[in-house]
Amino acid sequence: MACFSLATQPSPMAMRRAGLLGRYFASPFRLLCRQISVEPQATVDRLKESGLLRTQGLIGGKWIDAYDGKTIQVQNPATGDVIASVPCMGRNETTNAISSAYNTFSSWSKLTASERSKCLRKWYDLIISHKEDLALLITLEQGKPLKESLGEVSYGAAFIEFFAEEAKRIYGDIIAPTIDDRRLFVLKQPVGVVGAITPWNFPLAMITRKVGPALACGCTVVVKPSEYTPLTALAAAELALQAGIPPGALNVVMGNASDIGDTLLESTQVRKITFTGSTAVGKKLMAGSASTVKKISLELGGNAPCIVFDDADLDVAVKGSLAAKFRNSGQTCVCANRILVQEGIYEKFANAFAKAVQALQVGNGLIEGTVQGPLINEAALEKVETMVQDATAKGADVVTGGKRHSLGMTFYEPTVLGNVNKEMLISRQEVFGPVAPLMRFKTEEEAIQMANDTNAGLAAYIFTTSMPRSWRVSEALEYGLVGVNEGLISTEVAPFGGFKQSGLGREGSKYGMDEYLEIKYVCLGNLKGT
């Protein structure tokens, strides 16, 4: 998998509403850590008592098992413990979920925008009121530190709040006619049933970023969450039902990814596919959507450059690069994948950056002070190992880290590699782990050429104190998102998406609404008659 998105810092308003101070280092986090036990079963028991630990799929408002009784075990990547078993669904369940969404579409889409907005607002309120339990669930099944999980809940909820408001701002247009007895109108109408396929690295936010605008526009949705992190999706769906979003408007199926995906692609009732994940899978979905000419939006993999110029403020550059690289243990599509450092500041930056990386505390995300959790599974760990081994074999230096962590499981040491070049895999492919490759450059032109020398184009970062340079380089970079002197740039009010093979379409902001709308032109003629 290659993606995220969030990585993500909630907006200040969302953080305040969630009762959090600063970015993530607030007293509610410390209090929560003191209140819970790192014993997995104690945390699971708490979630069961809250009613949010759902272990069945949701179709037509009913919680169901797989028709053949098959299940999938959901594991805690920090301990290997089984948290729960969920249904392993396939074609039949997905077909019924599509039918449910299709049947509900006619009534949900005919509600006024104000009515849909009220349901979404209630969903937002419920997510915020259950933020601690949702954060615990995210940490249990995904592994990220609890403070990051709390941040994801606030960020994910912010999409629901934002699109609840945008539901009332879907405007059409009137066009000046070319003939005086005609009137020309443009209407925006919901596209229909949406198939939403979401990744494991942000199991709440990647759902709300898709489902929020879809429901706001009047669409209905079938969500297919990752088999690694389905529990957060099911908890969010439970809260949606409690919020009054009608049965069938939001359905959740999980299990056999190829069978579920193929069923969504083949169905003529599904009119839109939205996907966050790897570029390879995105290409398959794009090809599969051709037979029914579905609308499609894709948020795919990245190879984000982080460019540190000689004139950068060193402290700002180190702090921003650290945030851009090591959030969620490097498991986001907007994580800095290559840190390009101008030769005049290279040694100073490398030393300061390595020192900051060495201070990162690795461990179970439920333990206070942890800032680096495990990788999602053994395959992810082996990929990181392969890339580090390839880089060192081709001349890269291990500045710090460089091996599996002594904690075992899928923990990997936060790593900095020096003297990386473009011949190494780690500079060409997304590492999706806690490894920061440092590359030297001489001139601004060389930095731009190095940054753009990739098929990806999702996020990029610049550190400079020169305003003219920040404009020049931002405009020259072939990326959908650019952060200048900032490593955390995601927000619900701004469009998120990439250039080139990093995807199609945009999520978040007012532009994200258009992905779920069709434009209809109406010509009203013969107005001279009686």
Side-chain angles (χ1 to χ4, degrees):
M1 292 290 292
C3 234
F4 156 165
S5 85
L6 149 81
T8 265
Q9 175 187 356
S11 68
M13 181 176 293
M15 293 293 279
R16 288 195 297 271
R17 286 173 176 165
L20 304 175
L21 302 174
R23 284 184 174 162
Y24 299 137
F25 299 92
S27 57
F29 163 66
R30 294 193 293 270
L31 178 61
L32 183 57
C33 282
R34 288 196 295 268
Q35 289 175 339
I36 66 172
S37 168
V38 294
E39 171 61 38
Q41 190 55 51
T43 307
V44 169
D45 290 343
R46 169 179 171 152
L47 292 168
K48 286 180 178 177
E49 291 173 5
S50 73
L52 294 183
L53 189 61
R54 287 287 184 176
T55 56
Q56 295 174 296
L58 180 64
I59 298 177
K62 296 180 180 180
W63 298 101
I64 65 168
D65 294 318
Y67 297 156
D68 60 7
K70 292 181 179 179
T71 61
I72 302 171
Q73 291 184 335
V74 182
Q75 293 183 309
N76 181 342
T79 64
D81 295 333
V82 175
I83 305 168
S85 294
V86 298
C88 182
M89 296 174 161
R91 283 185 175 273
N92 293 335
E93 295 89 348
T94 306
T95 298
N96 288 343
I98 293 169
S99 297
S100 175
Y102 184 78
N103 293 334
T104 306
F105 174 72
S106 59
S107 57
W108 176 250
S109 62
K110 287 181 174 60
L111 291 179
T112 65
S114 178
E115 290 173 307
R116 293 197 299 271
S117 176
K118 289 175 182 176
C119 288
L120 287 171
R121 178 68 203 198
K122 179 62 174 176
W123 192 16
Y124 163 80
D125 291 337
L126 287 170
I127 291 173
I128 291 300
S129 67
H130 290 84
K131 65 180 181 292
E132 292 182 354
D133 287 328
L134 288 168
L136 285 171
L137 190 53
I138 291 171
T139 295
L140 273 180
E141 66 174 349
Q142 199 276 334
K144 68 179 61 175
L146 189 56
K147 65 186 177 187
E148 287 195 27
S149 295
L150 284 164
E152 180 180 347
V153 175
S154 296
Y155 176 74
F159 283 106
I160 302 301
E161 180 187 34
F162 180 85
F163 288 114
E165 297 162 352
E166 286 298 297
K168 296 178 283 188
R169 302 187 185 107
I170 300 174
Y171 303 132
D173 204 356
I174 298 176
I175 300 172
T178 56
I179 301 174
D180 63 4
D181 71 339
R182 295 181 181 178
R183 295 296 180 268
L184 312 181
F185 301 93
V186 173
L187 307 177
K188 290 186 178 181
Q189 295 181 320
V191 67
V193 176
V194 174
I197 304 173
T198 61
W200 49 262
N201 54 348
F202 291 90
L204 179 67
M206 293 303 93
I207 288 175
T208 59
R209 199 166 73 180
K210 298 175 186 302
V211 175
L215 292 177
C217 290
C219 298
T220 53
V221 190
V222 177
V223 175
K224 187 270 171 194
S226 168
E227 62 273 21
Y228 300 128
T229 56
L231 301 177
T232 303
L234 296 172
E238 165 64 24
L239 295 177
L241 289 177
Q242 293 181 24
I245 293 172
L250 174 59
N251 306 271
V252 182
V253 293
M254 71 227 81
N256 189 312
S258 59
D259 283 353
I260 294 171
D262 288 345
T263 305
L264 291 171
L265 292 172
E266 294 164 6
S267 172
T268 56
Q269 293 181 336
V270 176
R271 298 306 312 141
K272 157 85 179 183
I273 294 290
T274 174
F275 170 73
T276 294
S278 71
T279 299
V281 174
K283 289 178 179 180
K284 293 179 180 179
L285 292 172
M286 192 173 180
S289 296
S291 63
T292 53
V293 195
K294 298 186 195 304
K295 195 167 186 175
I296 188 165
S297 56
L298 304 170
E299 195 265 281
L300 307 176
N303 189 357
C306 179
I307 307 173
V308 182
F309 288 99
D310 281 348
D311 62 3
D313 181 307
L314 183 62
D315 290 339
V316 171
V318 169
K319 181 180 178 181
S321 300
L322 197 71
K325 171 67 252 184
F326 288 98
R327 183 176 50 251
N328 198 16
S329 300
Q331 298 175 113
T332 89
C333 277
V334 293
C335 274
N337 203 60
R338 299 166 290 155
I339 301 180
L340 316 181
V341 187
Q342 199 161 13
E343 58 184 5
I345 200 176
Y346 182 91
E347 296 299 337
K348 286 184 178 180
F349 177 87
N351 291 334
F353 186 69
K355 183 178 180 180
V357 171
Q358 290 167 355
L360 297 176
Q361 182 172 321
V362 180
N364 188 316
L366 295 178
I367 299 175
E368 185 176 2
T370 296
V371 294
Q372 293 286 283
L375 297 179
I376 189 65
N377 56 27
E378 182 67 22
L381 183 62
E382 291 174 357
K383 177 184 177 183
V384 170
E385 285 186 312
T386 297
M387 287 195 168
V388 171
Q389 290 166 4
D390 172 81
T392 55
K394 294 176 180 176
D397 303 320
V398 177
V399 180
T400 187
K403 61 183 183 297
R404 294 190 182 218
H405 199 278
S406 59
L407 288 171
M409 298 302 298
T410 57
F411 290 97
Y412 195 85
E413 294 180 344
T415 298
V416 178
L417 299 179
N419 297 313
V420 172
N421 62 54
K422 66 179 182 179
E423 303 305 321
M424 300 172 186
L425 285 176
I426 203 162
S427 70
R428 311 299 303 173
Q429 299 177 17
E430 192 173 32
V431 63
F432 232 59
V435 181
L438 304 185
M439 306 175 72
R440 297 175 187 261
F441 71 90
K442 294 182 179 180
T443 66
E444 179 180 309
E445 292 72 22
E446 182 185 10
I448 293 170
Q449 187 278 327
M450 290 171 66
N452 287 339
D453 185 22
T454 173
N455 289 328
L458 186 56
Y461 306 90
I462 305 165
F463 291 91
T464 178
T465 56
S466 168
M467 184 61 69
R469 169 173 278 163
S470 69
W471 277 105
R472 286 195 307 270
V473 179
S474 294
E475 292 176 358
L477 290 172
E478 298 169 351
Y479 291 83
L481 300 88
V482 179
V484 180
N485 296 324
E486 179 56 68
L488 298 172
I489 61 176
S490 298
T491 169
E492 73 277 7
V493 301
F496 189 103
F499 289 9
K500 298 189 281 189
Q501 293 187 30
S502 283
L504 300 170
R506 293 296 181 268
E507 294 186 328
S509 80
K510 66 177 183 179
Y511 302 103
M513 294 288 281
D514 291 338
E515 301 294 331
Y516 301 90
L517 294 167
E518 293 282 19
I519 293 177
K520 178 182 286 184
Y521 155 59
V522 178
C523 175
L524 182 60
N526 195 28
L527 295 181
K528 289 184 177 179
T530 57

